[in-house]
Amino acid sequence: MKLTRGILLIFLLASDVFGESVNLLDITQKDSVDKHYLTLTFDGVPEYVTSQTYEPPSFGVKLMNAMWDKGNFSKWIQARPAVKYSLRTSSGFAGNEIIDIDISLTQAVPVKVKVINDKALVLSWDKPNDLTDDALLSTDETVLTQKVSLNFRAAALFDVVRLLTEANDLNLILGDDIGNAGEVTMALTNVPLQAALDAILKINGYEWFMRDGIIIVKGIGRSFIGELESKIFELNYADGAIVQAALAGVLTDKGTATALASRPGGNNDLLLVVDRIATFPQIEKVIGQLDRRQPQINIAIKFMETTLKEEERLGIDWTLRLESLGPVPADTTLQALQLIDLAGDFSGFNAVQLTTPMLSALMQILVADNTSKLLQEPNITTFNNQMATISVGTNIPILVPQGEGSVFGTNPYTFENQSVNISMDVTPRINNADFIALNIVASVEAIIGYVGPDADRPVVSSRNMNTTVMVKNGSSLLIGGLIFEDSSLAVNKVPILGDLPLLKKIFSSTVEKKEQRELLIFITPSIVY
């Protein structure tokens, strides 16, 4: 429901809803550097209600129990966005005199109300040059979400509720017992009309709901047909279960929300909400904030392996690798790479953030080294704050004997698969337009040797990491420090003589060779809209 009439109410009262009559003496209009003012002067304390109309835009003041003896009139003014104000007199309920002053506006802007010396009512609004988007009133709001200010002392509950609804052009139905509700004293400033009604009624044992522009007030213990409204919301992006949980703090004590799927086995793309009509503007606002298109993050990963040189027993030496390339451009120097500032040690892992030029320089160094190779280059896209899982690896068949063998001395064998994997769970979260927080859970397995009678059963090591790092959008994270060592036996022999049964030990030798390899993982997250 779009707002056709929303209000800001301020009642200045003595001992009842209406006090003694006051006279409106004069209306004057003046300007300052940034504001326009319309001043109403009285011979006593004015009692009034102000209202805001959006279609067409206007602002109104309803003066209670006030008199004007100069007749109805209209006057054009140069106070944009206000262009005219008019005055007319009438009789209200209980026979009280009422003066209505309406200001015609070209834009729906907030008009501030202030009482000076208890005898002057000053209305003010900004000049057009000072207006911003925040200063313009939204037509998407409803009557119940508009701000009201109230000040009552020992006022009848019946009169308070009737004034609130009448000023909003709302109809009112009261239960048969509200006439004996007694009096209320309250002071509320800039609260939604819905909250004001809740505060006035619930503290006195009543509640309300709205149906087709009618406010119905009843005792809390009573039930009415039509009190609750049912709506089904179609969710384009959000999961119904998540939205259902978020509405727990918005629904009233009689409200419910149920996540549904539009087809069997599908995602929860529907939400059934049952609650009082007055609650639905807030419900729709929460759903609108949650059911939005979420940005996605592309995660590009490179798994690279490099063989360490004799001088690199403690890990890859980027200075050594860089020097082996010969003269290089200044932007690829070790100072530009800044690789000595590693961000922590995670069970054998080191991590450092790389800009795009730094990544290109590292790739140039590794490609120029024939001992480096690209193992895998997976690429995956996931939603913001949604975990992505990447797993690459291989299965090694292992010959496994079965049973005790047959009577003929043979022993049956079967094959079992031994998995050697590199797996990674990455949960990206966009902090702002430039940075992405990555929660990384990585597990790297590798064969470090073989055991068994025939040395054919692999020994698999596993390294694990669980950390959260911040990476700039489009930049890369380098994870290194994972070193594997392979041992192998190399036989050197003289041709022909090294194969003779009696002479082969003399003309052959066995040398144990050890080789170290370091695994490098490059992670590059990029926001995709």
Side-chain angles (χ1 to χ4, degrees), residues 322-337:
L322 191 63
E323 291 175 351
S324 65
L325 293 179
V328 293
D331 59 351
T332 59
T333 62
L334 184 63
Q335 182 179 3
L337 295 178

Side-chain angles (χ1 to χ4, degrees), residues 18-19 21 63-67 90-99 162 166:
F18 301 114
S21 298
L63 298 167
M64 303 295 185
N65 206 25
M67 292 181 290
S90 61
S91 296
F93 67 92
N96 294 281
E97 296 294 327
I98 295 179
I99 299 175
R162 187 162 66 172
E166 184 180 87

Side-chain angles (χ1 to χ4, degrees), residues 134-153:
D134 294 336
L136 298 177
L137 299 174
S138 172
T139 58
D140 293 331
E141 298 184 12
T142 66
V143 173
L144 297 175
T145 60
Q146 290 304 296
K147 306 296 184 183
V148 300
S149 296
L150 310 175
N151 189 7
F152 294 106
R153 287 186 296 174

Side-chain angles (χ1 to χ4, degrees), residues 285-304:
K285 183 178 180 180
V286 172
I287 293 177
Q289 291 174 341
L290 294 176
D291 189 30
R292 293 179 178 178
R293 181 179 178 181
Q294 295 295 317
Q296 300 180 84
I297 297 95
N298 177 265
I299 303 172
I301 301 179
K302 296 183 189 309
F303 294 100
M304 297 195 69

Side-chain angles (χ1 to χ4, degrees), residues 371-383:
T371 62
S372 301
K373 61 180 179 179
L374 180 64
L375 299 179
Q376 299 285 345
E377 193 175 10
N379 204 301
I380 192 170
T381 301
T382 185
F383 283 107

Side-chain angles (χ1 to χ4, degrees), residues 6 21 61 89 119-120 156 190 203 277 286 336 339 358 361 382 431 435 442 457 483-484 504 508 510:
S21 298
V61 180
T89 59
K119 293 186 178 181
N190 290 331
I203 197 173
I277 297 177
V286 172
L339 293 174
M358 293 168 65
T382 185
N431 296 100
F435 287 92
R457 299 188 66 83
I483 300 174
F484 306 99
K504 64 181 180 180
S508 65
T510 302

